[in-house]
Amino acid sequence: MTVDTLCVQGGWQPKKGEPRQVPVYATTTFKYETTQQMGDLFDLKEPGYFYTRLANPTNDAVAKKIAALEGGVAAILTSSGQAASTFAVLNLCNAGDHVVCSAQIYGGTFNLFAVSLKKLGIEFTFVNPDAPAKEIEKAFRPNTKCVFGETVANPSGAVLDIAKFAKLAHKHGVPLIMDNTFPTPVLCRPFEFGCDIVTHATTKYMDGHSSQVGGCIVDSGNFDWEAHADKFPGLVEPDASYHGLSYTKKFGKLAFIVKCTAHLMRDFGSIPSPFNAFLLNLGLESLHVRIRRHAESALKIAKWLKTQKKIAWVNFAGLPDSPYRKLVKKQIKGGIPCGVMTFGVKGGRDASIKFMDSLKLIGIVTHVADAWSCVLHPASHTHRQLSDEQLKAAGIPPDLIRLSVGLEDPEDLIADLKQALAQVK
C-alpha cells in the first residue's frame, strides 16, 4: 500500500462487527486463566499483554501504522519525543560508550545528550553535518555505538545527507539513528537512504493539533547486530534478567524493539496513555493531506518574505536557492521538506520582538508543526539566558524567528506578516 493509504488504514484492520476506529484500551492490566499463561508472557515466550506500562493494544496498533509508514519491521510508542531519543540511545549504549551526533539538532535533544546522558557516562561528539565525510569520520572511536541526526534540523532547517552518514556509520559497524519528525515518512523515508532506526516526536506533524505529547521509535530491521556482537552485547548475549534469553536469536529482526519494550519500557515506564495514542491515530489519518499543505504554504510564504526589505534573511530548504536544494530533491518527496522556516528581521532582537508582538493570526507559542501557524523567538524564549555573543556562538542570531506555517489560507498569513512588518520602524 502507498503511504497515503497507510495513513488512513494502516495498523488496524477491523473484522466483522469490530469498531472501525482503533479502540481505547483504558486498562492497566489484562486477565489470564492460568499461572503458566502469565508466566510465559513474563518470560517472553508468548506475545500478549499483561501490564500497560510495557505495552497496550491501542498503542501497538498505532505503532504498527507508523512502522508501516516508515517501511520498518516494528515500532514502539513512547510518552514524548525526548523519551524516544533517550530509549533509542540507551538501547545500544552503556556507561563508557560514545555516540557521534550531528550538531544541528533540537536544543532539547542537545541538552539531553550533552548534559543528562553525559552524566550517565555516555559521551557525545557533535559534528558539522555539512562537513566532508573524511572530517566527520575523525569523530568515531572504538567505543562508538551509534550515529544520531535529524533529517531536517529544528530550528536551523539544515538537511542531513542520510546516505553520507549511513555509509560512515556502517563502515564503523554501528547503526544510524535519524529523527524524522519534521518531514514525516510522507515526505522522507530515511530507511531508503541507509538509515537503520528512526525516531519521531509524534507531538508535531503526526498529531498536528496540539492534542497529545508522544514519541515513537521505528526499526528498519536491516542492521546486523550479530555481525557486530562485540559492540552490542545487550542485544546478542544472554540477558540475565530474562533467564539468559538472547534477543537476536529469539526475535531476529524484531530484536531492537523487543529489547526496548522488555527492558527499557519495563524499567523506565515512559509509555503514552492509550487515549494519547488514540488521538495520535486521528492525526495520522490526515497526515498525508496536511503535511503537503503545510509545505506548499510554507514555500509560498518563504518566497514572499525574501521580497520584503525589512527581512534580513530567510532560511528554508524548499527555496530554489537553498544550499540544500540538491539534497532536498534527492531525499524529499515533492521537494519541500516541511512547513517550518527561520528568518531574521532587520534591526536585531528589538525589531524581532516588535514584529512578533504585532502578529494577530500567528500565535507566539513554544510549539511547532501544528495546524495553527505559530512563531518562536529563541533569543527571547528558549535561549533567553544567553547574551547576543553567546547566541551567535550557538548558531542562533538574535534576530532569528522560527515560523511554523499552519493550515490557514497562506494569503491570510501573508497579510498578517505584512501588517506586523509595517509596525517595525
Side-chain angles (χ1 to χ4, degrees):
M1 287 189 286
T2 65
V3 164
D4 289 32
T5 301
L6 288 170
C7 279
V8 180
Q9 296 198 19
W12 173 253
Q13 289 82 40
K15 300 179 179 63
K16 180 180 179 181
E18 292 184 336
R20 204 283 293 172
Q21 187 53 262
V22 179
V24 179
Y25 286 84
T27 180
T28 59
T29 51
F30 301 82
K31 181 183 179 295
Y32 289 89
E33 296 175 349
T34 69
T35 302
Q36 187 60 50
Q37 288 174 345
M38 184 70 77
D40 288 343
L41 292 172
F42 272 92
D43 286 343
L44 303 182
K45 291 180 179 179
E46 297 289 341
Y49 305 95
F50 54 89
Y51 199 57
T52 284
R53 190 180 78 237
L54 279 88
N56 178 282
T58 305
N59 296 5
D60 280 0
V62 182
K64 287 177 182 177
K65 174 178 285 192
I66 298 174
L69 288 170
E70 286 287 7
V73 296
I76 181 174
L77 297 188
T78 61
S79 57
S80 68
Q82 285 291 82
S85 298
T86 303
F87 278 20
V89 171
L90 291 182
N91 211 31
L92 301 174
C93 298
N94 297 314
D97 288 337
H98 173 255
V99 177
V100 175
C101 184
S102 167
Q104 298 285 347
I105 58 173
Y106 166 57
T109 307
F110 184 91
N111 194 76
L112 166 68
F113 292 167
V115 179
S116 296
L117 291 190
K118 183 178 181 180
K119 291 178 180 179
L120 299 182
I122 302 171
E123 189 172 354
F124 288 75
T125 297
F126 296 94
V127 299
N128 178 1
D130 298 329
K134 287 185 179 180
E135 183 177 331
I136 296 172
E137 189 168 17
K138 295 176 183 177
F140 284 81
R141 304 175 186 176
N143 62 334
T144 299
K145 295 298 177 69
C146 62
V147 178
F148 188 98
E150 293 181 0
T151 49
V152 178
N154 177 16
S156 74
V159 179
L160 189 139
D161 188 334
I162 303 171
K164 178 178 75 174
F165 272 75
K167 185 176 180 180
L168 285 170
H170 297 160
K171 180 179 179 180
H172 291 269
V174 299
L176 172 63
I177 304 171
M178 293 295 304
D179 182 325
N180 196 33
T181 296
F182 271 8
T184 80
V186 175
L187 300 182
C188 179
R189 301 178 86 190
F191 295 156
E192 296 176 358
F193 303 97
C195 172
D196 301 290
I197 296 158
V198 159
T199 65
H200 285 277
T202 62
T203 319
K204 307 304 189 295
Y205 284 123
M206 284 190 167
D207 168 82
H209 301 86
S210 298
S211 61
Q212 62 84 44
V213 175
C216 186
I217 307 172
V218 187
D219 183 19
S220 68
N222 294 330
F223 193 84
D224 190 345
W225 306 108
E226 292 198 343
H228 307 282
D230 58 322
K231 285 183 174 290
F232 307 105
L235 283 160
V236 178
E237 294 181 4
D239 183 349
S241 68
Y242 277 105
H243 308 293
L245 175 146
S246 164
Y247 293 99
T248 54
K249 289 180 172 58
K250 173 71 174 179
F251 300 104
K253 290 182 178 294
L254 304 178
F256 183 89
I257 295 298
V258 171
K259 179 178 180 290
C260 198
T261 304
H263 186 187
L264 296 176
M265 195 61 80
R266 175 196 65 187
D267 292 350
F268 293 105
S270 295
I271 198 160
S273 77
F275 186 67
N276 274 23
F278 172 82
L279 293 174
L280 169 59
N281 190 60
L282 293 181
L284 287 169
E285 288 186 350
S286 63
L287 174 63
H288 57 298
V289 180
R290 291 184 292 102
I291 188 65
R292 292 173 182 135
R293 172 61 182 266
H294 283 292
E296 290 166 3
S297 294
L299 179 59
K300 185 172 185 176
I301 289 170
K303 288 180 176 179
W304 179 84
L305 284 170
K306 284 183 71 72
T307 67
Q308 302 306 298
K309 294 181 179 180
K310 293 182 180 179
I311 296 296
W313 54 272
V314 180
N315 178 31
F316 183 57
L319 288 168
D321 61 350
S322 168
Y324 296 107
R325 189 61 185 161
K326 185 177 180 180
L327 198 54
V328 165
K329 285 186 175 181
K330 175 185 175 182
Q331 295 180 175
I332 305 294
K333 295 178 178 66
I336 314 174
C338 60
V340 181
M341 69 187 75
T342 56
F343 62 93
V345 177
K346 290 180 180 178
R349 184 194 294 255
D350 291 341
S352 294
I353 293 172
K354 178 63 177 176
F355 167 77
M356 289 179 57
D357 288 349
S358 301
L359 291 166
K360 297 178 180 178
L361 273 181
I362 302 170
I364 301 174
V365 300
T366 56
H367 200 35
V368 69
D370 192 356
W372 285 42
S373 292
C374 54
V375 288
L376 179 77
H377 183 230
S380 298
H381 303 143
T382 55
H383 297 69
R384 67 178 292 113
Q385 294 84 3
L386 304 184
S387 66
D388 284 0
E389 290 72 24
Q390 290 172 323
L391 285 168
K392 290 178 182 178
I396 302 172
D399 64 345
L400 184 148
I401 294 172
R402 184 184 71 187
L403 169 62
S404 177
V405 178
L407 298 179
E408 304 91 345
D409 188 313
E411 292 299 335
D412 289 335
L413 297 176
I414 288 173
D416 191 29
L417 293 167
K418 186 176 182 179
Q419 67 83 23
L421 277 176
Q423 306 306 311
V424 179
K425 307 301 181 183

